[in-house]
Amino acid sequence: MDLLEYQGKQLFARHDVPVPSGRPATTVEEAVTAADEIGYPCVIKAQVQIGGRGKAGGIKLAADRDAAQEHARAILGMDIRGLTVHELWVEGASEIAAEYYASVVFDRSAKAPLVMLSTKGGMDIEAVAEEDPGAIARLHVDPLLGFQDFHGRRLAYEAGVDADVVRPIGAMLAKLYDAFVAEEATLVEVNPLIVTPAREVKALDAKVTLDDNALFRHPENAALRDISAEDEQERMAKERGLTYVKLDGDIGILGNGAGLVMSTLDVVAQAGGSPANFLDAGGGSKADAITSAVEVILSDPKVSAVLFNIFGGITRCDEVAKGLIEAFEKIKPDVPFVVRLDGTNDKEGRQLLADASLPNVVTESTMDGAAKKVVELANAV
Ligand code: GDP
Ligand code: MN
């Protein structure tokens, strides 16, 4: 789970990582009140789970109340690389003498956390890593020994930070490492980590990714999950216990078992189609699971045709047919369905479908034939 910048900063503050103080706001009025309390100049920052907000115009300095109001109005509702801004963070403006970069990530190949520090902060670190890899000091931490003071100093010297801030930056890295371990994060990134003219060090930005599988141990973090940022269909599917991944095409796909669904995506692509999703109804799907799955697929307005590819093993094709018939009674879909039923009780399933004579449903007996048909129907829409 990715945290918003301000949630990351609040998490940092719990671990004594120095951060500017600020307040969240969801309306222009709240932002102005927050700015008045914080004092001027202050910074109005868009809270979206994506970097490069500064470049996109989502971060603005406000010298006074009028400016705060104007910026809050402009940033709320702004689209930043596909994400709409619903929340702001208002914080006291910082003076910047130097911008550095610091992070702790979990390096799976080394089976250890990796701490990185660079004086090339405030810019795209991926570009720095590519063009000037020597500019990033790196250190793997033995998880049993933990992060020691000398690690911090070594990183600071290697990165080439100003001599007078070697100690405070080493101390900040130690605290970031503590936060990383204690909160069960997979990434903690500070870009930029700033040095002020008064030679204080602070985390000016925060990017934190938490391990979803450990969230049950951190109720305080789990409560931060931003449901509104999740895709509507993916949330709906999750609530119904279905495995669903939204893709960008127009053919809805339902299969049972991840392997079958993946090969269905390939066959549809080969037939010239573009899948709208990956939906695995799972093994042993009963009628109601199928009905739920159809609801999820059809809730995506981009879907113009649906392919059902069922290979009956534990799943019985007659159950799938019943589910489909129920779904048609309930939803009355207006897009065509191509159904391929093969395996356990396939004859019974096809018979049920034939008896129901559902509008817009075509049955096919092979996967290739079904894929060709669904692409043809999708293109005809
Ligand atoms: P990002 O663009 O999404 O990574 O957002 P950041 O929080 O990293 O902000 C981007 C840039 O805005 C920083 O690198 C700073 O140069 C600038 N910035 C952000 N807050 C302040 C501030 O309080 N004072 C000053 N002078 N610059 C700021
Ligand atoms: Mn940043």
Side-chain angles (χ1 to χ4, degrees):
M1 174 169 92
D2 294 328
L3 298 187
L4 293 167
E5 172 200 359
Y6 82 90
Q7 295 169 334
K9 283 179 168 166
Q10 289 171 341
L11 181 146
F12 284 178
R14 297 207 297 269
H15 295 274
D16 294 324
V17 175
V19 287
S21 55
R23 280 162 216 267
T26 52
T27 64
V28 175
E29 293 69 40
E30 272 175 29
V32 171
T33 307
D36 280 346
E37 283 169 19
I38 288 160
Y40 299 94
C42 64
V43 182
I44 315 278
K45 306 184 80 174
Q47 298 298 296
V48 281
Q49 278 152 342
I50 202 154
R53 295 165 301 160
K55 271 189 205 139
I59 294 175
K60 291 271 192 260
L61 191 75
D64 54 34
R65 189 169 218 266
D66 287 345
Q69 184 169 30
E70 186 188 321
H71 295 321
R73 198 172 281 147
I75 297 172
L76 271 174
M78 178 185 272
D79 178 284
I80 298 184
R81 293 157 68 196
L83 295 177
T84 308
V85 181
H86 297 296
E87 213 169 349
L88 301 172
W89 175 244
V90 184
E91 75 179 18
S94 299
E95 287 185 82
I96 302 178
E99 290 190 307
Y100 299 154
Y101 169 93
S103 64
V104 186
V105 294
F106 193 76
D107 182 351
R108 285 172 197 280
S109 56
K111 298 179 184 156
L114 171 65
V115 183
M116 290 185 270
L117 180 67
S118 174
T119 53
K120 306 242 167 175
M123 46 185 115
D124 179 5
I125 198 67
E126 279 81 11
V128 175
E130 206 161 288
E131 287 153 24
D132 190 7
I136 304 172
R138 297 176 167 85
L139 182 119
H140 283 103
V141 179
D142 181 326
L144 296 177
L145 293 178
F147 191 89
Q148 307 289 327
D149 286 348
F150 72 87
H151 288 141
R153 288 196 298 274
R154 192 159 102 200
L155 279 163
Y157 280 122
E158 267 178 34
V161 307
D162 293 340
D164 65 316
V165 288
V166 165
R167 273 175 189 279
I169 286 184
M172 182 153 155
L173 291 176
K175 285 169 184 161
L176 288 171
Y177 183 82
D178 288 347
F180 176 87
V181 173
E183 306 287 348
E184 302 192 71
T186 55
L187 167 76
V188 163
E189 186 182 70
V190 180
N191 189 18
L193 181 172
I194 59 158
V195 183
T196 68
R199 311 310 286 169
E200 285 175 310
V201 299
K202 279 195 272 189
L204 202 65
D205 192 6
K207 186 171 174 206
V208 175
T209 306
L210 299 170
D211 182 351
D212 285 328
N213 295 317
L215 276 181
F216 72 99
R217 281 194 286 261
H218 305 276
E220 193 178 347
N221 294 339
L224 299 175
R225 185 176 285 284
D226 179 9
I227 310 178
S228 68
E230 285 180 20
D231 177 77
E232 177 64 27
Q233 276 93 36
E234 287 185 12
R235 184 170 93 223
M236 204 170 152
K238 205 182 283 170
E239 282 165 4
R240 293 157 191 235
L242 300 164
T243 304
Y244 174 89
V245 178
K246 192 176 161 76
L247 303 170
D248 50 17
D250 59 351
I251 298 178
I253 309 266
L254 180 137
N256 60 321
L260 181 67
V261 178
M262 273 196 265
S263 48
T264 310
L265 298 182
D266 287 345
V267 174
V268 166
Q270 209 170 35
S274 172
N277 68 279
F278 174 112
L279 200 155
D280 174 10
S285 310
K286 291 280 192 237
D288 53 349
I290 299 295
T291 313
S292 274
V294 173
E295 280 172 343
V296 172
I297 291 180
L298 293 181
S299 68
D300 179 354
K302 276 170 79 182
V303 168
S304 58
V306 179
L307 173 57
F308 255 61
N309 190 13
I310 301 292
F311 186 79
I314 308 168
T315 305
R316 289 169 31 192
C317 292
D318 55 331
E319 278 290 332
V320 174
K322 275 184 207 152
L324 189 59
I325 294 164
E326 266 169 42
F328 266 72
E329 276 165 12
K330 218 166 142 185
I331 317 169
K332 309 208 186 324
D334 51 12
V335 299
F337 278 60
V338 176
V339 182
R340 177 225 176 197
L341 295 176
D342 198 359
T344 312
N345 292 2
D346 53 357
K347 273 196 211 76
E348 289 84 343
R350 281 195 293 267
Q351 190 60 51
L352 282 169
L353 287 180
D355 294 346
S357 65
L358 303 174
N360 273 340
V361 174
V362 184
T363 53
E364 286 281 339
S365 52
T366 68
M367 195 151 140
D368 283 335
K372 281 198 191 90
K373 187 75 195 169
V374 79
V375 172
E376 188 188 308
L377 291 169
N379 290 342
V381 175

